[in-house]
Amino acid sequence: MIDLKKLELWFVVGSQELYGDEALRKIEQNAAKVTSELDNASAIPVRICFKGILTTSGEITKLCKEASSDDRVVGLICWMHTFSPAKMWINGLKRITKPILHLHTQFNQDIPWESIDMDYMNLHQSAHGGREFGFIGSRLDIRRKVVVGHWSEDEVQYKIGVWTRAACGWSEMQSMRIARFGDNMRDVAVTEGDKVEAQIRFGFEVNGYGMGDLVACVKSATEKEIDSLIQQYLILYDIVSELRPEGERYQELRDAASIEVGLRNFLNEGKFSAFTDTFENLKGLKQLPGIAVQRLMNEGYGFGAEGDWKAAALVRVIKVMSAGLDGGTSFMEDYTYHFGPKSELVMGSHMLEICPSLSKGKPFCEIHPLSIGGKSDPVRLVFDSKAGHALNISLIDLGSRFRLLVNKVESVEIEQKLPKLPVARVFWKPLPDLKNAASAWILSGGSHHTCYSLSLDISHIEDFAEMAGVELIVIDEETNVRQLKKELLWNERVFD
Ligand code: MN
């Protein structure tokens, strides 16, 4: 469902006519080589397309307009190989609507101590050419990423890759459509918000649909479609005997599969890439969607429970940003604490809807009662999560603006079997520690619903927040609650 290789970064190189044709030919050769190396770099997930040496205001403006109107383009990488007088860039940069990465590099890594002369210096003057470009970016107040270092270094390519993934997420947000089945869980505050403001700020559309629309799709699921899903379930999951074709509750597995068929068909027809539901509004559905939601998330759809469209948007964006990386990404909720004196843990879970991309092994497919919602027992996938570095990310609406929060956590495997727990579960230690992380999260107003990812670093979220122009609160090993309270206070003045 997510193929980042369809997307492009345009690589543009600034220079000027002053140095003559021979120098420009050399610059072009160098730029083509850098482009080709970056295009082949495993850290960068999209195609990198060389768009030539730009030496006039007209060329720059034309390219910026083209990039802005091409849906495949997620951003521009700009490199000033020589000195490119920056007044030439004003009209173009005023028109560009895509994120910009200023690659402050130089073709040759080392100074050739014995042979360096004036010609060499003319060709290798990124050190000051990049500063001229930096000035005009600041003068125009353009948010951009600056990456410094030789283009062949792993660290440089990694930073470009991180920013590229953020740009892919940002690009996705501009056309994302989110379907809501039912409204918000009644009386819940944090899952509410201003959907018009969200579309203005982030680009994604959120629209509501009656359950009847979804139920019609579920009812039109064919026996063949259901059979085909059951075949997949039998291969992919360890299905409890009562749900197997010979078991007494097999029909309930088929009911769950029909919900999956209906949901997928509805989402495909409407070109939706994320959705929400709520257990308070299930009229016409036999079960709260469990395995259906879990499997759709695993395919790359965003999801938010209880009408949480902000969580649904985040899950989809993080799925796009992490496409092709190890780990996994899911809708998540901070559920239950272990305030053990020696080892403090958070258990993350939900009623049903945790994405099996997190699963350590083959998930179990089980059926258990749900104590709320008043429907038949829902079928769900139950599993333990992989361990590793992870993030919990939340987007909240403060009324006058949005705030993005991210907490770095360390997910761990536990020895206990939890034989009576009927849902997928994740255990993590938040950084800097549970007490400070939870204090910081609560003081910042972070939601109980999050997007949890084993695939990304804080830097991905930082780059994304910068592109979106949204406040970011980071809770990690350096967080100090006293300092964080000041940051929140200062940010109120800056962002409101
Ligand atoms: Mn919830």
Side-chain angles (χ1 to χ4, degrees), residues 194-207:
D194 183 341
K195 299 191 275 293
V196 175
E197 183 61 26
Q199 191 169 346
I200 293 168
R201 167 62 56 190
F202 300 109
F204 61 81
E205 299 169 30
V206 187
N207 285 298

Side-chain angles (χ1 to χ4, degrees), residues 112-348:
W113 305 107
E114 296 302 321
S115 61
I116 186 167
D117 57 12
M118 210 55 222
D119 285 345
Y120 185 93
M121 279 167 64
N122 272 338
L123 264 187
H124 298 85
Q125 47 178 311
S126 303
H128 64 281
R131 283 170 162 78
E132 169 77 351
F133 186 72
F135 165 74
I136 208 65
S138 294
R139 178 72 173 77
L140 291 170
D141 200 16
I142 290 175
R143 294 192 295 268
R144 74 270 191 207
K145 174 89 174 178
V146 180
V147 175
V148 182
H150 194 254
W151 48 273
S152 66
E153 288 172 32
D154 287 347
E155 186 196 342
V156 167
Q157 295 182 0
Y158 177 75
K159 284 182 178 169
I160 297 172
V162 165
W163 175 86
T164 303
R165 287 183 175 279
C168 291
W170 179 241
S171 169
E172 167 69 16
M173 261 199 168
Q174 307 314 304
S175 58
M176 189 194 298
R177 287 163 54 77
I178 303 177
R180 299 179 86 215
F181 302 110
D183 194 20
N184 204 59
M185 179 178 166
R186 286 185 275 281
D187 293 323
V188 174
V190 76
T191 48
E192 291 278 10
D194 183 341
K195 299 191 275 293
V196 175
E197 183 61 26
Q199 191 169 346
I200 293 168
R201 167 62 56 190
F202 300 109
F204 61 81
E205 299 169 30
V206 187
N207 285 298
Y209 294 86
M211 285 310 287
D213 298 327
L214 176 58
V215 168
C217 277
V218 172
K219 284 192 172 148
S220 64
T222 64
E223 292 299 306
K224 198 175 154 201
E225 286 175 307
I226 295 169
D227 286 341
S228 146
L229 278 190
I230 300 276
Q231 287 312 311
Q232 289 185 43
Y233 295 178
L234 287 166
I235 295 166
L236 294 171
Y237 314 120
D238 207 333
I239 302 179
V240 286
S241 57
E242 57 187 349
L243 286 176
R244 297 184 70 86
E246 62 282 7
E248 67 271 21
R249 303 188 76 177
Y250 178 53
Q251 183 54 44
E252 288 167 86
L253 187 69
R254 293 189 71 82
D255 292 342
S258 71
I259 293 174
E260 181 179 332
V261 171
L263 255 172
R264 185 180 288 103
N265 288 344
F266 185 100
L267 297 171
N268 280 344
E269 280 163 27
K271 296 191 165 40
F272 298 105
S273 54
F275 64 104
T276 71
D277 65 13
T278 171
F279 66 91
E280 286 178 334
N281 190 345
L282 295 174
K283 196 167 175 58
L285 282 191
K286 289 180 180 164
Q287 311 169 4
L288 174 62
I291 187 172
V293 169
Q294 293 179 290
R295 284 171 44 81
L296 286 164
M297 257 194 284
N298 200 38
E299 278 172 33
Y301 285 96
F303 172 75
E306 291 108 32
D308 194 340
W309 50 272
K310 297 191 295 300
L314 261 187
V315 171
R316 169 63 183 174
V317 164
I318 301 298
K319 292 258 182 199
V320 169
M321 284 168 62
S322 59
L325 296 177
D326 291 339
T329 294
S330 180
F331 173 72
M332 188 59 69
E333 184 164 305
D334 289 75
Y335 226 100
T336 299
Y337 288 136
H338 179 64
F339 275 140
K342 288 190 185 145
S343 163
E344 293 180 323
L345 288 172
V346 180
M347 190 183 90

Side-chain angles (χ1 to χ4, degrees), residues 41 51 80 97 107 160 252 281 287 291 368 379 434 482:
K51 287 291 165 178
M80 301 305 119
T97 60
F107 186 70
I160 297 172
E252 288 167 86
N281 190 345
Q287 311 169 4
I291 187 172
H368 301 281
V379 175
L434 196 157
R482 186 189 294 153

Side-chain angles (χ1 to χ4, degrees), residues 423-469:
V423 284
R425 71 300 298 254
V426 185
F427 289 87
W428 64 76
K429 296 176 180 180
L431 293 170
D433 56 67
L434 196 157
K435 291 187 175 96
N436 282 294
S439 298
W441 190 269
I442 287 168
L443 286 166
S444 307
S447 174
H448 55 287
H449 284 170
T450 59
C451 172
Y452 169 91
S453 181
L454 278 162
S455 306
L456 298 185
D457 300 331
I458 296 269
S459 55
H460 291 94
I461 311 302
E462 280 180 316
D463 285 353
F464 174 82
E466 177 133 47
M467 286 170 199

